[in-house]
Amino acid sequence: MTYVPLGLDPEALATVREQTSGILDRIHLDNCGSALMPDPVADVIRRAFERDVAFGGYVAQEQQADNLDATYKSLTRLFGGTVDDYAFVGSAVDGWTKAFYSIPFGAGDNIITAYNEYCSNFVAYLQMRERAGIDIRVAAQAPTGGIDLGHLESLIDDRTKLISISHMPSSSGEINQVKDVGTIARKAGVLFQLDACQSAGHIPVNVDDIGCDIMTGTARKFLRGPRGIGFLYVNQAAREQMEPVVLTNQAAEWSSRDAYTLRSDARVFEAWERSVVNQLGFGAAIDYLLELGVEKATTQIAQNAGYLRAALANLPNVRVACPSGASSAIITLNVLGKSPSEVKADLERQSIAVQIASVVHTRLDLEDRGIDSAVRVSPHYYNNKEDLDAFLTAVETL
C-alpha cells in the first residue's frame, strides 16, 4: 500500500512528534490502551500540581475556577451538547456505571446491547438481571459485519428500557453504526447509552449527530489526556428519567433538616472531591486536538490503520483476527508459532509497545469466533510511516 499523507501535513506531524517526548526511544502502538500525552498537556498538569503543592488543593481550585469552567465548554466544542450535559468522572467506567445504575429498572424490563459489547458493561447487565429481574437482549452481527440493525429493532418492545452499546469494541476493529441505532432509539422512544471509550478522539464523534442520550469516554486513550479521569454526557431528557445512584454534596444541596435539592444539570453525577489537576489536563488535551484539527487528526489515524491492515494481511506469518470489514485503528492479529504474550514480549524488547486482547474483554464476539487472545495494535496520528514499517519488519522477522 502506498503511503501518501492524507491528514496531517509533514510540518504538522513533525511538530506533533516533537511535542511527544514519549516517542523518542519507543514506537508506541498501544493507543487504544493508553496513548502518549503531548508535552503541552503534561505541562498544564505539572503547573496545576505545583499549584496544589504551593497553595493546597482547595485554594488552588479557587484560583483556577475559570479554567475549570472552560473544560466543560471544551467538551461541547468537541462532542456537541451543552455545558449542562457534561460531568467529569474518575474514568469512563465510573461514568458509565453511574449512569446505568441510575436508570430505574424493574422486573420484566429489558435492555438491548450488541454481540461485541465490552466486559465491564456486560457484567453490569448480568448483575441487574440478578438484582432487578431484567432481560438482556443481544443484537446479532450482520452478515457483512457490524450490528444487524433489523434484528436490533425487532428486539424492542414496550418493556425496553435502554439500548446500550459500545461505539467500537476493544478487540475487533469494527465501528458500530451508532447513528442508525440513534435513529431507531428515538423512533421507539427508548434511552440510548453509548460507550465511546475507544471512539472519542479516534473518529469524529458528535452527540447531536448520533442521537444518544448518554455517552461516556476517557481521557487516556485517543484523546491523549491523563489517566484517572473521564467524561459523562447525559442530556436533559435522560436526566429527567434517572435517579442518581449516589448523592454527594456536589450532587445535591442539604436544603433543610429533612430534605435535599438535586442539581438539574449533569454534574449531579460528579463528585466534589475529584482530581482538579486531571480535569485541567483533560481540558488541555481536548483543546490540543481541537487546535490540531479533529478531521486532520482522525484522518491520519484512519490512514495509519489502513496502511497497517493492508500490510499485515500480506505477511505470511500473520493472521489478522478482525472480522472482515473492520476499519478502525484497533487491529488484532496472531503470529504463527508464537503466543500473543510471546509476541508482545519480543516486540517490547525492541521498544515497540502493543497489547493483548483477551476473550474476557468481548466474550460474546471472540468466543463465537474461536479466539482466546490476540495481539492488539492501535496506531495514533503521531505514528509516522517509519514507525509502522519498523513494526511490520519486527513482526515479519519474529
Side-chain angles (χ1 to χ4, degrees):
M1 176 181 175
T2 303
Y3 190 99
V4 179
L6 299 174
L8 301 177
D9 61 53
E11 183 178 353
L13 180 57
T15 299
V16 164
R17 289 179 64 82
E18 288 172 4
Q19 294 175 337
T20 307
S21 55
I23 63 171
L24 292 177
D25 301 311
R26 290 174 62 76
I27 297 173
H28 190 78
L29 295 172
D30 182 23
N31 295 289
C32 74
S34 185
L36 300 175
M37 278 192 288
D39 294 340
V41 173
D43 290 342
V44 168
I45 293 171
R46 289 189 190 97
R47 290 195 296 270
F49 179 75
E50 289 167 358
R51 192 179 289 268
D52 265 20
V53 173
F55 297 99
Y58 277 17
V59 173
Q61 181 173 347
E62 293 168 359
Q63 293 174 344
Q64 300 170 102
D66 290 343
N67 291 338
L68 287 167
D69 285 343
T71 60
Y72 298 93
K73 296 174 184 176
S74 294
L75 284 169
T76 66
R77 289 174 60 206
L78 182 58
F79 297 123
T82 72
V83 292
D84 285 346
D85 298 331
Y86 287 97
F88 285 95
V89 288
S91 68
V93 171
D94 178 41
W96 190 98
T97 52
K98 282 180 176 177
F100 176 75
Y101 285 100
S102 296
I103 298 170
F105 294 104
D109 290 340
N110 66 77
I111 62 172
I112 297 171
T113 188
Y115 67 96
N116 51 16
E117 184 62 309
Y118 186 60
C119 56
S120 68
N121 303 346
F122 209 92
V123 295
Y125 308 149
L126 294 172
Q127 185 188 45
M128 193 58 68
R129 183 171 68 184
E130 294 175 358
R131 177 186 294 179
I134 68 166
D135 183 29
I136 304 169
R137 300 178 177 180
V138 179
Q141 183 180 29
T144 55
I147 298 171
D148 185 329
L149 296 170
H151 183 229
L152 184 149
E153 190 165 16
S154 74
L155 297 175
I156 299 172
D157 61 24
D158 58 2
R159 296 302 302 272
T160 301
K161 200 82 170 188
L162 178 71
I163 298 172
S164 179
I165 64 169
S166 295
H167 197 168
M168 291 183 185
S170 67
S171 51
S172 79
E174 292 188 297
I175 304 174
N176 286 327
Q177 315 96 300
V178 295
K179 187 173 181 179
D180 294 323
V181 175
T183 299
I184 292 169
R186 286 194 301 272
K187 177 182 174 183
V190 175
L191 287 178
F192 175 21
Q193 180 166 356
L194 179 65
D195 181 341
C197 200
Q198 294 291 4
S199 59
H202 185 156
I203 59 175
V205 174
N206 184 281
V207 294
D208 303 308
D209 183 53
I210 293 169
C212 56
D213 301 289
I214 303 164
M215 188 174 82
T216 50
T218 184
R220 67 180 159 87
K221 296 180 185 286
F222 286 92
L223 289 172
R224 303 185 67 195
R227 189 178 185 185
I229 190 165
F231 71 88
L232 168 62
Y233 163 86
V234 187
N235 65 23
Q236 183 177 351
R239 297 197 300 270
E240 291 172 353
Q241 300 178 53
M242 299 163 74
E243 176 66 32
V245 66
V246 293
L247 294 182
T248 67
N249 57 325
Q250 171 85 351
E253 177 189 350
W254 192 9
S255 51
S256 68
R257 292 180 66 90
D258 299 308
Y260 60 84
T261 304
L262 283 176
R263 295 183 68 114
S264 60
D265 60 12
R267 291 188 223 183
V268 71
F269 298 103
E270 193 174 80
W272 163 256
E273 199 56 46
R274 64 189 186 277
S275 174
V276 167
V277 171
N278 277 349
Q279 184 173 333
L280 291 170
F282 193 3
I286 294 170
D287 292 343
Y288 185 91
L289 174 59
L290 290 168
E291 184 175 350
L292 186 63
V294 175
E295 192 66 35
K296 291 179 180 179
T298 56
T299 297
Q300 188 73 32
I301 293 171
Q303 180 185 24
N304 286 345
Y307 181 77
L308 280 186
R309 283 187 183 280
L312 286 166
N314 289 321
L315 295 184
N317 62 329
V318 169
R319 297 293 179 268
V320 176
C322 295
S324 61
S327 61
S328 83
I330 301 175
I331 305 168
T332 47
L333 61 104
N334 279 303
V335 177
L336 299 181
K338 292 271 190 178
S339 70
S341 59
E342 289 173 329
V343 173
K344 181 183 177 184
D346 286 347
L347 292 174
E348 180 59 38
R349 283 189 283 272
Q350 300 177 63
S351 296
I352 300 173
V354 299
Q355 195 48 267
I356 297 174
S358 168
V359 67
V360 301
H361 296 144
T362 51
R363 180 171 290 279
L364 300 185
D365 175 35
L366 293 188
E367 197 172 77
D368 284 352
R369 292 194 286 126
I371 298 171
D372 181 70
S373 62
V375 178
R376 187 178 70 180
V377 183
S378 47
H380 213 308
Y381 60 71
Y382 53 66
N383 292 120
N384 59 15
K385 183 176 183 293
E386 289 71 24
D387 285 348
L388 307 182
D389 286 341
F391 162 75
L392 291 168
T393 298
V395 170
E396 188 175 18
T397 57
L398 282 178

